[in-house]
Amino acid sequence: MFLWKNVSISLFTSFFIFFLFVFSFFVLVVLLYDCGCYLVDWQLFCICGFDVCFSILVDWVSLSFSLVVYLISFSVIWFSYYYMLGDLYVFRFTWLVVLFVLSMIFLIFIPNLITLLIGWDGLGLISFCLVVYYQNFKSLVSGVLTVLMNRVGDVMILLSIGWLVSLGSWNCFFLDDFYLGFFVGLCLVFAGMTKSAQFPFCSWLPAAMAAPTPVSALVHSSTLVTAGVFLVIRFWDFIGSYWMVVVFLQMVSLFTMVLSGLSALFETDLKKIIALSTLSQLSVMLFAVSFGFSFLGLFHLYTHALFKALLFLCAGCLIHSFSHVQDLRHLGSCWSLAPCVMTFLNLANLALCGFPFFGGFYSKDMILESYLWGEMNFLFFVFVFLATSLTVAYSVRLSLFSSFGALKMCSFFSKGEEDYNFLVPLFVLGAGALFGGFFFYFFIFEAKCIFFFPSVSDKNFVFFVLFFGLVLGCFLFLLSFSVSEHFWKFKFMSSFGGSMWFLQILSTQGLLSYPFNYFFGNLYLLDRGYFEVLGGQGLLSKLSLGSVSFYFFSFKSVMVSSAFVFFAVFFFYFY
């Protein structure tokens, strides 16, 4: 009865979110037809010449992004019936997810920095509750790391609010150049970097995989990590007027793109590979925005959300069916046990690689061709296309390991696709990954006259880079079978890449090991030590030790005196 009550509440929640999706879709169609934009500005109070307002902006950007959030939330909550079926606290989990989505909706529709903190802090707080949902030591460490990294971005937002007092406005479209504008723009970029896990704040993103897989699908597709990108896009008209901030964002996004791609090549945890893939694609979005292609960055944000949510749900199905094993080296021959899941997994991987006419092709290909079409820096050119080939390489490696690798499980293992309820969200997100790019391009972005005409050589060069990544992924898959485990160079590259160039050790264990050990020692020596030392057990142990010492020394003194008497008698007798 209790389990059925939880399931019914989850069903009601998912259908209510689907109703919001349909309503937002019709409102978006009306706005695109009228080319309208509505701003609701409610003045909370006025003090010393500046107004503190609660603003709501309804335009095509906020409505289209809310469509993506509603669709993915509907699919994730539906999928949680299958994944969290045996959990006694599904009711708590569902409402945490609903609050998480609500915080993201606040962030999307509010263009004011002061009231935007409602959604911004809500995402940070509820993400901590979801990461520590399983309540073990690993989840606690991951949750603390996540919330502390995100607090840096919260501080940057607060600093921006304080500096913007002299301007008297906090709305994204009313900001203008003023004497503190450079610092405000830099703080906004830092806030976006912490939420989107850019270098050097990128170590919390793989650690957040301690959360349940439906939460990971929601976080890495359309909510927490995309909040930083959306903030930068909203305020880009103000941030882009400071060229030093723009160059800084370009360099950080390029470095994070290559770092995450190389790390994913040597990672063996299934969920962490997908997390590092999210980190790479977030860098692609910020790179596109920093080069002036803000609409293309937003376009890639939409398409990426659909196929990345599908990728995480497929990974959750494999983990749930294979006795909660996440090591990629053990998950082989999945075609025979989960053919439907593997079909959608490969579909999402093809969309991630930018396979022609899939979802990611329309956005990712346009970003690369726009960069080739404009002015190029050779160093940036090498980094961008190296990161693109690495994306294809780790996607191909993931598909090959899961499809053709060896199944290293017990001999009586016979689980598979027993429950077909999870196929509904997979079909929904699969359609989004397959046709989402086409829909957003022809019905939204083309209506905004966002198009260009790349040359044939630019198109061929992009396909050559994708083919190079395919060859690299196949080579690494074959190398894993032929290289010995004692080959020290390969082991060093695995540890170097798997730890994100030792960034996880430097930002987590290396910094936290001494404080944790220090506080752990103080807990037992000071807080609990008084009762142990001064209580009955402590006094008994001390008296017992004293009695043993007294017995030892008294026995020792008797032996020494007896030996002295013996040698004295012996000496006087023979002398």
Side-chain angles (χ1 to χ4, degrees):
M1 183 66 184
F2 179 73
L3 184 60
W4 172 250
K5 178 182 177 182
N6 288 337
V7 171
S8 62
I9 290 174
S10 300
L11 280 172
F12 173 76
T13 305
S14 60
F15 282 115
F16 178 73
I17 291 176
F18 184 74
F19 169 75
L20 291 177
F21 169 80
V22 175
F23 176 75
S24 301
F25 177 75
F26 283 112
V27 176
L28 176 62
V29 171
V30 172
L31 279 181
L32 289 176
Y33 179 77
D34 293 338
C35 297
C37 175
Y38 299 97
L39 174 67
V40 179
D41 209 11
W42 176 32
Q43 182 180 353
L44 297 178
F45 59 89
C46 179
I47 183 172
C48 296
F50 58 89
D51 297 333
V52 177
C53 302
F54 184 85
S55 306
I56 297 176
L57 178 63
V58 181
D59 61 344
W60 71 271
V61 175
S62 56
L63 281 172
S64 57
F65 194 17
S66 65
L67 283 179
V68 177
V69 174
Y70 290 145
L71 184 63
I72 293 175
S73 304
F74 164 76
S75 304
V76 165
I77 294 177
W78 189 295
F79 178 76
S80 64
Y81 315 152
Y82 163 75
Y83 194 83
M84 310 288 291
L85 186 61
D87 199 330
L88 297 177
Y89 304 104
V90 179
F91 179 79
R92 179 196 305 170
F93 174 79
T94 303
W95 279 107
L96 282 174
V97 172
V98 169
L99 290 175
F100 199 61
V101 174
L102 185 62
S103 300
M104 191 63 197
I105 295 300
F106 269 105
L107 183 71
I108 291 171
F109 283 96
I110 294 177
N112 192 307
L113 269 181
I114 292 181
T115 49
L116 179 137
L117 282 173
I118 300 173
W120 188 270
D121 282 336
L123 287 173
L125 176 62
I126 302 171
S127 65
F128 173 75
C129 298
L130 289 171
V131 170
V132 302
Y133 179 78
Y134 284 135
Q135 298 182 13
N136 52 46
F137 182 75
K138 181 181 178 181
S139 299
L140 178 61
V141 171
S142 302
V144 170
L145 176 63
T146 301
V147 75
L148 289 181
M149 286 283 188
N150 283 278
R151 288 309 290 174
V152 178
D154 301 344
V155 172
M156 294 299 167
I157 294 287
L158 293 174
L159 285 174
S160 302
I161 292 172
W163 280 327
L164 284 173
V165 169
S166 59
L167 191 62
S169 176
W170 292 270
N171 287 345
C172 61
F173 37 81
F174 291 152
L175 297 185
D176 200 0
D177 190 13
F178 71 115
Y179 70 102
L180 289 174
F182 169 77
F183 300 102
V184 174
L186 190 62
C187 285
L188 291 175
V189 167
F190 266 108
M193 285 168 53
T194 55
K195 271 289 192 287
S196 298
Q198 299 299 297
F199 181 86
F201 309 108
C202 52
S203 60
W204 69 265
L205 195 65
M209 291 296 98
T213 304
V215 176
S216 302
L218 194 60
V219 165
H220 287 255
S221 59
S222 59
T223 51
L224 182 65
V225 296
T226 58
V229 179
F230 191 77
L231 177 75
V232 173
I233 291 174
R234 273 293 194 201
F235 290 87
W236 183 249
D237 291 335
F238 172 71
I239 296 172
S241 58
Y242 302 98
W243 67 271
M244 293 181 65
V245 179
V246 173
V247 172
F248 172 73
L249 183 60
Q250 290 173 358
M251 296 179 66
V252 167
S253 60
L254 281 174
F255 185 77
T256 311
M257 204 186 303
V258 177
L259 182 148
S260 55
L262 288 175
S263 300
L265 282 180
F266 300 98
E267 183 59 60
T268 57
D269 190 290
L270 177 61
K271 289 179 67 175
K272 287 187 178 181
I273 292 175
I274 306 176
L276 292 169
S277 167
T278 303
L279 183 57
S280 175
Q281 299 309 304
L282 291 171
S283 304
V284 172
M285 299 170 203
L286 288 175
F287 170 78
V289 173
S290 63
F291 269 88
F293 311 133
S294 57
F295 283 151
L296 294 183
L298 187 67
F299 186 19
H300 191 54
L301 178 64
Y302 294 168
T303 57
H304 168 264
L306 294 171
F307 63 73
K308 186 52 61 70
L310 177 62
L311 202 57
F312 264 108
L313 294 192
C314 293
C317 291
L318 293 180
I319 293 169
H320 190 70
S321 299
F322 285 76
S323 303
H324 303 284
V325 174
Q326 295 183 204
D327 197 328
L328 191 65
R329 296 166 294 185
H330 294 174
L331 296 176
S333 303
C334 297
W335 276 111
S336 58
L337 296 173
C340 295
V341 174
M342 288 304 300
T343 301
F344 286 110
L345 178 70
N346 289 315
L347 188 151
N349 267 333
L350 289 175
L352 173 62
C353 295
F355 192 78
F357 308 112
F358 278 58
F361 168 76
Y362 292 92
S363 58
K364 196 171 183 178
D365 213 56
M366 285 177 65
I367 291 173
L368 296 175
E369 291 166 2
S370 300
Y371 181 66
L372 289 174
W373 191 46
E375 297 180 358
M376 291 185 295
N377 180 300
F378 180 73
L379 181 63
F380 287 2
F381 172 81
V382 172
F383 272 79
V384 167
F385 287 98
L386 174 63
T388 304
S389 61
L390 291 177
T391 301
V392 181
Y394 62 69
S395 300
V396 169
R397 175 175 172 265
L398 173 62
S399 294
L400 291 177
F401 262 107
S402 56
S403 302
F404 304 108
L407 180 60
K408 299 178 181 178
M409 305 290 289
C410 51
S411 59
F412 54 86
F413 179 77
S414 61
K415 292 190 70 174
E417 297 174 345
E418 297 133 342
D419 187 3
Y420 291 96
N421 288 328
F422 66 90
L423 288 181
V424 174
L426 291 188
F427 270 112
V428 171
L429 293 176
L434 194 57
F435 304 109
F438 174 82
F439 170 79
F440 285 117
Y441 178 73
F442 286 102
F443 290 96
I444 295 180
F445 289 92
E446 191 179 44
K448 295 295 177 182
C449 299
I450 303 166
F451 56 87
F452 62 98
F453 303 99
S455 63
V456 178
S457 60
D458 293 345
K459 181 72 72 175
N460 291 335
F461 182 74
V462 172
F463 284 135
F464 171 76
V465 171
L466 299 181
F467 179 75
F468 175 74
L470 173 65
V471 174
L472 180 60
C474 295
F475 173 74
L476 288 173
F477 173 70
L478 297 175
L479 187 67
S480 63
F481 292 100
S482 60
V483 174
S484 173
E485 289 295 331
H486 300 287
F487 191 32
W488 67 270
K489 291 184 179 179
F490 187 77
K491 291 182 68 176
F492 174 75
M493 287 300 297
S494 299
S495 60
F496 180 70
S499 63
M500 298 180 67
W501 303 3
F502 305 120
L503 189 63
Q504 292 179 347
I505 299 174
L506 294 175
S507 60
T508 54
Q509 290 93 343
L511 294 178
L512 298 179
S513 60
Y514 177 75
F516 273 16
N517 291 329
Y518 177 74
F519 293 130
F520 184 79
N522 285 340
L523 174 66
Y524 281 91
L525 292 178
L526 297 178
D527 293 349
R528 301 179 183 177
Y530 290 120
F531 294 101
E532 294 292 334
V533 175
L534 301 179
Q537 186 176 359
L539 292 176
L540 178 62
S541 62
K542 296 298 186 295
L543 292 175
S544 300
L545 181 61
S547 62
V548 171
S549 302
F550 176 77
Y551 172 75
F552 174 75
F553 286 112
S554 61
F555 179 76
K556 185 176 179 181
S557 62
V558 170
M559 293 297 296
V560 170
S561 59
S562 300
F564 178 75
V565 171
F566 173 77
F567 281 111
V569 171
F570 181 79
F571 176 75
F572 285 110
Y573 178 77
F574 287 100
Y575 181 76

